[in-house]
Amino acid sequence: MIRFDHVSFGYSKQNLLFENLSMELLPGQIYGLLGKNGAGKSSLLRTMAGLLFPLGGDISVNGHKPEDRQPAFLQDIFFIPEEIYLPAVTIDRYIATYAPFYPGFDERQFHFYINNFDIPQKNKLTGMSYGQKKKVLTAFALATNTKVLLMDEPTNGLDIPSKSQFRRIVSSALTPDRLFVISTHQVRDLDNLIDSILILENSELVVQHSLTVVAERLHFGNQVDIGDDELVIYSEPSLRGYKVIAENAQCEESRVDLEQLFNAAVLNPNRIKDVFRQQV
């Protein structure tokens, strides 16, 4: 479990990336963290990992304060940064060096993920493409079986087939006692993968709900004309008129469009927050 209690962070008190932020992330869930470039997504993940320290408030990850960097905390969390570095060794040597730091590491699982990612295992890591390196690190992270896995832009450098592989493999690795947080600005890469969504905008979380709750409160559809429809929160032109997000007054079923939701949260954050404050 990850809990933030009125947490503020910035590289100076005059320039906060997020302020007075409170949230609770539960195991058994894959969370998608969305935000514009520079919104503070990477910094938020790094505060969870204990690599950056909050200016105010309290953070708890599985009962530990991340900033203390205790061994019991470090062996049960894995962080994949956006920019990765891997040493000039083979995969086998990498495992022999780093796996002992993670008591739950399962080498059989690792090779299963590597085979599914179609990675040659005899080459040195530095001889691989950037996308292949990302796959190796993702496979290793999943095989550590840490209770918390944080991924910052993990699909950067992956082609379209590899992104499908990524979604399939990551979803298969989730267990009831594990919690994944995936940060990305490539919103569609999280389609059919995440259970809950976090949208960081203007130093606060505009949305922090499960997709089930999002689908209950909002309706995603098409309209020929939006006119003066007061229920419409966001619209964009389409071949059939307009793609629309509206308040779900009729409790209709619809499929959540992550890209539209992100655009709506950025362009009309106050209206989005008002919808989720309302009682069902």
Side-chain angles (χ1 to χ4, degrees):
M1 178 189 293
I2 298 176
R3 180 180 287 115
F4 276 49
D5 185 14
H6 301 289
V7 173
S8 298
F9 173 81
Y11 294 98
S12 71
K13 291 184 178 180
Q14 292 73 37
N15 186 23
L16 296 178
L17 287 173
F18 45 89
E19 185 175 9
N20 211 26
L21 190 154
S22 295
M23 64 178 176
E24 185 174 86
L25 309 184
L26 301 175
Q29 299 273 314
I30 300 177
Y31 292 86
L33 174 58
L34 308 181
K36 295 181 294 189
N37 287 336
K41 302 187 300 299
S42 296
S43 296
L44 183 57
L45 291 183
R46 289 177 182 273
T47 60
M48 295 177 186
L51 297 172
L52 294 174
F53 306 150
L55 296 177
D58 296 306
I59 304 174
S60 172
V61 177
N62 293 330
H64 300 282
K65 291 183 67 174
E67 60 196 77
D68 292 341
R69 305 284 288 171
Q70 296 175 341
F73 165 77
L74 295 172
Q75 69 185 20
D76 222 5
I77 187 170
F78 198 99
F79 173 55
I80 302 178
E82 180 177 4
E83 297 298 328
I84 61 173
Y85 166 79
L86 294 176
V89 297
T90 63
I91 288 178
D92 288 342
R93 174 53 59 186
Y94 185 84
I95 292 174
T97 303
Y98 293 99
F101 292 102
Y102 301 95
F105 183 81
D106 188 321
E107 188 169 349
R108 184 172 56 181
Q109 283 183 351
F110 173 77
H111 288 294
F112 173 78
Y113 298 139
I114 285 294
N115 288 334
N116 276 268
F117 273 135
D118 300 320
I119 298 295
Q121 300 197 39
K122 299 303 179 183
N123 296 356
K124 285 189 175 182
L125 296 174
T126 48
M128 296 181 177
S129 69
Y130 182 71
Q132 287 176 323
K133 291 176 184 176
K134 274 285 181 85
K135 292 178 184 179
V136 170
L137 194 55
T138 299
F140 184 85
L142 294 172
T144 61
N145 289 294
T146 54
K147 285 190 171 65
V148 174
L149 174 55
L150 310 174
M151 310 184 204
D152 192 5
E153 302 287 355
T155 57
N156 276 4
L158 301 186
D159 56 22
I160 292 176
S162 296
K163 290 179 180 181
S164 297
Q165 290 175 328
F166 172 84
R167 288 191 292 268
R168 184 179 69 253
I169 292 170
V170 169
S171 62
S172 72
L174 183 69
T175 58
D177 63 340
R178 302 185 78 182
L179 185 165
F180 299 165
V181 184
I182 304 173
S183 167
T184 186
H185 68 279
Q186 302 182 57
V187 180
R188 293 199 177 278
D189 289 352
L190 299 186
D191 275 344
N192 303 313
L193 175 61
I194 63 173
D195 305 295
S196 297
I197 186 166
L198 309 168
I199 299 180
L200 189 61
E201 173 65 15
N202 290 332
S203 305
E204 62 178 338
L205 285 173
V206 177
V207 178
Q208 49 173 320
H209 296 284
S210 70
L211 294 189
T212 300
V213 170
V214 172
E216 289 173 353
R217 302 295 180 92
L218 300 174
H219 183 265
F220 298 76
N222 293 278
Q223 293 182 199
V224 175
D225 182 32
I226 55 175
D228 296 323
D229 191 339
E230 294 182 352
L231 294 178
V232 172
I233 298 171
Y234 170 81
S235 66
E236 61 184 57
S238 72
L239 293 176
R240 291 185 287 178
Y242 295 90
K243 289 183 178 181
V244 167
I245 300 178
E247 294 186 42
N248 197 9
Q250 303 301 319
C251 299
E252 298 178 76
E253 291 187 6
S254 64
R255 181 179 181 277
V256 175
D257 186 311
L258 294 179
E259 188 168 2
Q260 284 188 58
L261 178 61
F262 174 69
N263 291 337
V266 170
L267 295 174
N268 204 348
N270 291 329
R271 181 76 183 279
I272 289 289
K273 287 188 294 183
D274 287 342
V275 168
F276 288 105
R277 287 195 194 104
Q278 298 168 11
Q279 297 295 319
V280 177

